[in-house]
Structures are given as C-alpha cells and as structure tokens.
Amino acid sequence: MVRKMLTGNAAAAWGARLAQVEYVPAFPITPQTEIIESLAGWFADGALTGKFVTMDSEHSMVTAAGAAATTGVRTFTATSSQGLIYAMEALYTVSGWRVPFVLVNVSRGLSSPITLGPDHNDVLAARDAGFIQIHVETCQEVLDSVLMAFRIAEDSRVSLPVLVNLDGFFLSFTREPVEIPNAKLVQEFLPAFRPHHPVFKGSQSVAQGVAVLDGAAYSYFRYQMHRAVENALEVHEEVAEDFYRLFGRRYGALEEYRMEDAETVLVMAGSFSTKGKAAVNRWRDQGRKVGLVRLRLIRPQPAAELARLLTGRKAVGVIDQNISPGLGGILYQEVAGALASTSDRPPVMRSFVGGLGGKDISPAEFDRVLEVLDEAKSGEGHVPCELLFTDAEYKQVRTALSVAGKPLEGRAS
Amino acid sequence: MISGNTSALTIAESLGKASALSVGLGAAAVRLSGLITIEQLREAVQMELEELGLDAQVIEENLRLAEEVYGGLENVTIQPEKVPPKELVHEMAYDHVLLGTPSILAPGNAEARQTGSWRVERPEINYEHCTRCGLCFVGCPDGAIALDEQGYPVIDYDHCKGCLICLEQCPRHSIVSKKEVRSW
Ligand code: SF4
Ligand code: SF4
C-alpha cells in the first residue's frame, strides 16, 4: 500500500488503472481532462493495455463506452457538465442495453452563464438515466468508489453503468493524502470482468438496441431496469463489506456524522459536506445537538435507511447544491419523499440552495440555516426554499455588473 | 347489428381489407360510441383522406361507405359493466439480465414482423420495360426484392417498407409508385 498526495482527478485515474480497464473512450473538458491525460499516459507507457481512443464528442464517447461493454471488455470513461448533458441521449440508450461500465463525472455548473466551479445540476440531470450514482466527498473516496463501482456494475443483479461524481476544483484539483491499494488485493476484490449480459462475439449473433414498438414490452424492460437499480442497494452493501475487509475503509449508502443524539440534522451531498461537518463541529462546541447525513448513493435511493435516520428528529434542513428553477432544491424533494409515509416525521423540514457554481457556503450562511430551522414551527405549510447568499457576495456581483456597464443611465436602477 | 340497407358483404369487405386506414371500421366505431354525428364523420373522413392526396372520386367512395356503415348500424346502448372483468395484475420481479435486456439472440426472426404494413407508397414494377438489370434488387435496403427464375425482380410486399429507393435506382423508370391507401 502506498500513500500519495493525489488530486481527485488523479485518484479517479488510479481507480481505473487498478481496475485494469481495457478500453477508455475520451473527450477533454475542464475540470475532468487530467483524468484522461493520466490514463492516456499509462496506455502509452504500457501500465495499461488495451485501447485509449479520443472521440469527436461526449455523445460518441458514451455510445462507444456502451458498445465496448457489450463486447465484454472492462470500460471506463469520464466527463463533466456540458459534456454529460451533451451525452444525455446516449446515457439513456446505453443503460437500456444493460451494460456495465464506469463513468466519472466531475461536477461543474451548467451554462448559461458559463462557469467552471461545481454544483450538481449536471449530474442530477442524469439521475433518471438508469445509471447507478455515487457522490463522493474526498479524493480517497474517489479512488475507492471507482473500484466499488466496477463491482456493482458487473454484478448480474445490476448489470448497469455506474456514475461516480466528484466536485470540480474542490476535489478534482485538490491534493489530499490517498492510499493507493495494493494491486494484488484489488485483483481479489475485483476479478477480471466476466459479463453476464449477452456479448457480441464473432461466433454469435446478437441484436442490441432493438425496437420493441409496444408498450408492454417497453414497460417490461423499463421495470427490469428499475429493479436492477434497486438491487444495487443490496449489492453496494455487500461490496462495501468486502471493501472494508480488504482495505479497512467502510462506505455506507448514507454517511452519518455526529447523529447519535442529533435533534437537528443537515442533509448534504458531495465535497461541501466537509463544510457542513465543520459547521456541525462548531455548533456541537456550543452545546447544540446537530448532526449531518451525507447522501452518497443517490441512485438507488436508500429510502428506508434515510427514513430510519431522519424520523424522530426535530428539524431537518436539506442543503442542495443545485437548483430546479421554479421548484428549488432537487434532493430536498427526494428526502421529503422518503419520509412521506413515515409516522414520526420531523415536524420541521426546510429546503436550502447554496454553493451553486462553486460559490462558498460560509459559516454565516450555515448559521442562517440553523437559525431558520430553530425558528421554524411545525405545520407552517409550504415554505419556499431559502437561497443562500451573503451581502458581500451581492456587493461583489453589483461591482461586476457596473463594470459590465450596468445599470445603464435612465434604463434600469 | 347490420340491418337492411347495408349488405353484410359490403361491411365485411370493407373491414377485412388490410389497408393502412379503414373508413368502414372508423364509421362503425363512431356509430357505436353514439357521440359523433354523421356530419362530423363526413368531415373527419374528408380531412383525413384529403391530407393523403387521394383523388376526389376515391374520397367520394369512402364517404359513401362511411355513410352506409353509419346508417346501417342500429342505435345500440352499451351498458357499462358493473363489475369490471377480473384481470390478474402481475407482480414484477427482477428477471436475470439475460432475459431482462432488450436484445435478440435468436437469429432469423425478422421475417415474422410484417414491416410492409407501415408502407404508404407502394412500388410497382412495370415488367414490359424491365431489362432485368437487377439494380433494384441490389439497392433495396430491406432485401424485399428477389429475382425469379427468369431474373425478373419480385417485390415482397409483406416486408417492403415503401422507401422507393428501388424506384430511384431503376435506370428504365420501370418502377412506379402508387398510394398505398385504397378506397377502403
Ligand atoms: S420501396 Fe424500398 S423497401 Fe420496397 S422494394 Fe423498393 S427499395 Fe425495397
Ligand atoms: S432496376 Fe428497373 S430495369 Fe432493373 S431490374 Fe429493377 S425494375 Fe428492372
């Protein structure tokens, strides 16, 4: 076992290298490019054998990844933001083929306006595509999750692509100490890919991507995909157990942080959970009983466990690093849905949006979240989501607007 | 339900034809629904067939059929069933990925699907001018043209989709296209 200071991108590439991937279709996009550059280097110097192919677009890239997986080779690819959105049609198509491969998405806010910092609107746009989704918090978790992702994807109870999401910049370009697992142990954890789905072979004709043109057949295959994604919950648990046994690090579908006696709970996803944990520590020092639940497995949704963790608490605040204009935070809706039929729901549930495009969530904004949760009363009916923003940030934007010539004299104020 | 002024034969003939659209069937359905007047039916048939570019005479024949069928059926009152028929609802479990994947492993079953039923344009070969060059046979993307013992092309209308590539290919212009929709 080696410990190295790796960026999240390098950790993703190391995951693919240790999984001995045989085919990587690639297309560059900030902040993901370092992943495919690292892999290109390893295919060139022989550390990896197989094929690394640069494609003309992410749409082709994801199609190629799916097609390669139908031939039974272990396939890895990576993208970000606009790239994932551009590949959207292909995401749905290849998951319909029920082929296992791993796609790393490095989250980045979507256009327009163009930005490079992270939020989760890109990856959540793909949440219904039939991919398993794992959202990670640290660089170590990036590497570990890529290895786990191959095991889950290739299990016959699942046989679907798995998307591992890491936040741009905060993980992609940040070095953290990462343990690179021993290659022999990885082989024990993740043996060579033995496909369960029908593969293309010279000696065997298979038609993939067929039309069914009838609602019953279509529904059957969509329901099967749903069941397969659901199965990933149990498979993730088994895989996490194996991973713990071999490598000593344990990952749940959800991560609990200081939850034992927590009355107020923050729910977050991704690297900004670290900021949430820091706020929890600060509040704990002040004697407040606050905890945090991090959503790691987004699809399948670990609804029962989520309900188990949140029922009986006094207040739950979901901080979404995404925005569905006209609705608010996306994951808030999912958390609320998981609690809908429980009897001991938290009397206060509130939705917050923050950290869009990599905007910080400052201690002051976390304090605002706690204040809102403290002051909220049960049975207030629908309360719109709170948009986290600071005065200093507002001033900064107004300064930028004035540089851009706004407001124009006499036209706007 | 078929009464005096329409012969059973007319209706049976009209309903039995495998055309893309059956005016007779439609007329029977709207009559039974009791919701559509004869004027509305005429208007609908007119619009639908005009959009297909059919000749006025063909449209007239269809309108006559629609009226015959509509007038020939008695007014019936359909009693909604008080207790809906018991249908078993399936509990969907996970099937092995080999089953639950929309892929086809058994070769040679494409023939079973009669793709010819989608056809709107129907290619017809004028054998008087055909030189048996075979270009249409080679060009058909669906393999729906075979050559007979004398080398003449024969179109398999069960599978010809009506793309008219054969028509474009034919150097002798001896393939013509006809509207697939018949009078009924
Ligand atoms: S119309 Fe198209 S499908 Fe039909 S015979 Fe001609 S080329 Fe083949
Ligand atoms: S292309 Fe025309 S001339 Fe040639 S075989 Fe076909 S129908 Fe005959």
Side-chain angles (χ1 to χ4, degrees):
Chain A
M1 194 193 311
V2 191
R3 216 176 152 88
K4 277 191 173 182
M5 288 300 288
L6 292 187
T7 61
N9 278 345
W14 264 101
R17 173 177 166 150
L18 286 166
Q20 287 291 298
V21 295
E22 298 161 286
Y23 181 68
V24 177
F27 192 85
I29 181 170
T30 300
Q32 171 278 128
T33 307
E34 185 191 354
I35 299 178
I36 59 165
E37 280 174 351
S38 308
L39 289 169
W42 290 331
F43 274 103
D45 72 16
L48 282 170
T49 52
K51 251 192 175 343
F52 176 95
V53 184
T54 49
M55 308 298 290
D56 63 298
S57 73
E58 290 86 354
H59 188 281
S60 307
M61 181 188 88
V62 170
T63 309
T70 63
T71 68
V73 300
R74 186 169 280 159
T75 302
F76 175 88
T77 189
T79 188
S80 171
S81 190
Q82 305 300 124
L84 189 69
I85 299 296
Y86 191 43
M88 191 60 69
E89 185 199 23
L91 297 181
Y92 278 77
T93 300
V94 299
S95 66
W97 300 346
R98 297 287 305 278
V99 285
F101 65 91
V102 175
L103 182 152
V104 163
N105 183 64
V106 185
S107 262
R108 162 181 154 189
L110 291 170
S111 250
S112 298
I114 293 177
T115 193
L116 297 174
D119 67 41
H120 301 149
N121 266 108
D122 59 352
V123 64
L124 290 180
R127 79 192 163 143
D128 303 328
F131 279 54
I132 312 300
Q133 277 201 16
I134 301 174
H135 289 213
V136 310
E137 184 187 352
T138 66
C139 294
Q140 181 72 62
E141 195 184 347
V142 172
L143 192 157
D144 295 349
S145 297
V146 168
L147 294 177
M148 291 174 69
F150 276 109
R151 269 281 299 272
I152 297 167
E154 292 169 9
D155 193 290
S156 71
R157 290 164 289 176
V158 178
S159 196
L160 280 171
V162 179
L163 186 157
V164 175
N165 189 71
L166 61 122
D167 290 329
F169 290 80
F170 290 80
L171 291 185
S172 70
F173 300 140
T174 305
R175 284 185 194 272
E176 290 178 354
V178 174
E179 274 183 24
I180 299 177
N182 174 287
K184 280 235 159 55
L185 280 183
V186 171
Q187 265 171 29
E188 190 183 323
F189 173 75
L190 181 69
F193 176 30
R194 299 239 326 268
H196 300 284
H197 63 283
V199 295
F200 286 122
K201 285 190 211 147
S203 56
Q204 168 187 300
S205 59
V206 178
Q208 271 285 20
V210 300
V212 290
L213 304 181
D214 110 67
Y218 182 79
S219 299
Y220 169 76
F221 292 119
R222 299 297 290 178
Y223 287 167
Q224 285 301 316
M225 184 191 285
H226 173 63
R227 290 279 181 255
V229 177
E230 284 181 331
N231 286 348
L233 206 53
E234 175 188 321
V235 174
H236 176 269
E237 210 172 298
E238 293 170 16
V239 168
E241 195 52 43
D242 271 4
F243 194 89
Y244 174 68
R245 189 172 47 79
L246 287 165
F247 306 108
R249 287 182 294 278
R250 194 188 281 282
Y251 295 100
L254 300 168
E255 185 197 345
E256 301 172 46
Y257 188 75
R258 304 192 78 167
M259 282 292 288
E260 316 79 51
D261 58 345
E263 293 170 349
T264 301
V265 180
L266 294 189
V267 178
M268 296 181 72
S271 65
F272 275 39
S273 307
T274 306
K275 294 174 187 284
K277 288 173 182 173
V280 165
N281 288 342
R282 193 157 52 76
W283 295 327
R284 283 271 175 186
D285 288 346
Q286 295 160 12
R288 298 293 317 268
K289 289 183 176 165
V290 186
L292 182 142
V293 170
R294 178 169 70 89
L295 307 173
R296 179 178 132 82
L297 212 51
I298 299 283
R299 285 291 179 277
Q301 187 197 38
E305 201 186 334
L306 198 54
R308 183 183 62 75
L309 281 177
L310 297 182
T311 46
R313 314 286 177 178
K314 286 190 178 150
V316 170
V318 181
I319 305 182
D320 268 285
Q321 202 178 352
N322 62 74
I323 189 161
S324 172
L327 176 75
I330 295 170
L331 296 175
Y332 172 78
Q333 307 296 327
E334 301 212 340
V335 173
L339 289 164
S341 56
T342 57
S343 58
D344 196 11
R345 283 197 297 272
V348 168
M349 286 202 59
R350 285 298 178 83
S351 169
F352 303 86
V353 168
L356 299 186
K359 188 190 99 60
D360 187 26
I361 304 180
S362 63
E365 287 165 283
F366 276 109
D367 284 346
R368 168 73 182 162
V369 169
L370 191 61
E371 188 185 296
V372 168
L373 293 175
D374 282 346
E375 285 169 8
K377 308 229 169 0
S378 166
E380 285 177 309
H382 174 71
V383 179
C385 83
E386 177 112 1
L387 306 175
L388 301 176
F389 213 67
T390 65
D391 275 347
E393 285 162 345
Y394 187 71
K395 278 203 192 92
Q396 173 202 325
V397 172
R398 288 302 298 247
T399 305
L401 282 172
S402 73
V403 172
K406 298 175 181 185
L408 285 179
E409 279 299 315
R411 280 177 62 186
S413 56
Chain B
M1 282 192 299
I2 297 158
S3 70
N5 58 357
T6 305
S7 73
L9 192 65
T10 317
I11 293 186
E13 270 184 351
S14 75
L15 302 190
K17 289 260 167 72
S19 71
L21 168 131
S22 173
V23 166
L25 205 56
V30 302
R31 177 64 166 149
L32 292 176
S33 81
L35 299 171
I36 309 282
T37 63
I38 183 84
E39 289 75 26
Q40 288 170 323
L41 173 64
R42 279 189 62 95
E43 190 188 335
V45 171
Q46 184 97 28
M47 285 170 73
E48 190 76 33
L49 299 187
E50 269 175 11
E51 276 172 22
L52 292 171
L54 295 185
D55 294 343
Q57 186 216 331
V58 175
I59 295 178
E60 208 36 62
E61 279 172 35
N62 276 273
L63 285 169
R64 212 166 46 239
L65 172 78
E67 280 168 3
E68 268 179 37
V69 172
Y70 191 95
L73 293 175
E74 280 168 17
N75 233 345
V76 287
T77 320
I78 299 169
Q79 291 291 345
E81 300 212 35
K82 293 223 169 58
V83 186
K86 190 136 188 74
E87 209 182 347
L88 292 180
V89 173
H90 185 77
E91 202 67 56
M92 184 67 72
Y94 181 71
D95 287 334
H96 190 277
V97 57
L98 267 177
L99 280 179
T101 305
S103 51
I104 300 171
L105 309 183
N109 54 18
E111 202 182 350
R113 185 176 274 281
Q114 300 218 338
T115 46
S117 62
W118 309 345
R119 190 174 53 240
V120 179
E121 303 282 342
R122 177 187 175 88
E124 282 184 6
I125 298 171
N126 180 347
Y127 289 103
E128 275 176 33
H129 299 126
C130 169
T131 59
R132 295 181 276 184
C133 69
L135 283 177
C136 57
F137 161 76
V138 175
C140 173
D142 280 291
I145 300 181
L147 298 179
D148 71 8
E149 279 170 11
Q150 283 86 47
Y152 281 106
V154 183
I155 297 176
D156 164 10
Y157 289 107
D158 283 344
H159 297 99
C160 158
K161 291 181 188 158
C163 66
L164 299 185
I165 286 175
C166 52
L167 179 148
E168 299 287 338
Q169 296 274 308
C170 178
R172 300 275 298 159
H173 304 294
S174 62
I175 301 183
V176 295
S177 107
K178 300 250 172 78
K179 285 270 177 242
E180 188 53 62
V181 181
R182 279 153 286 172
S183 53
W184 50 70

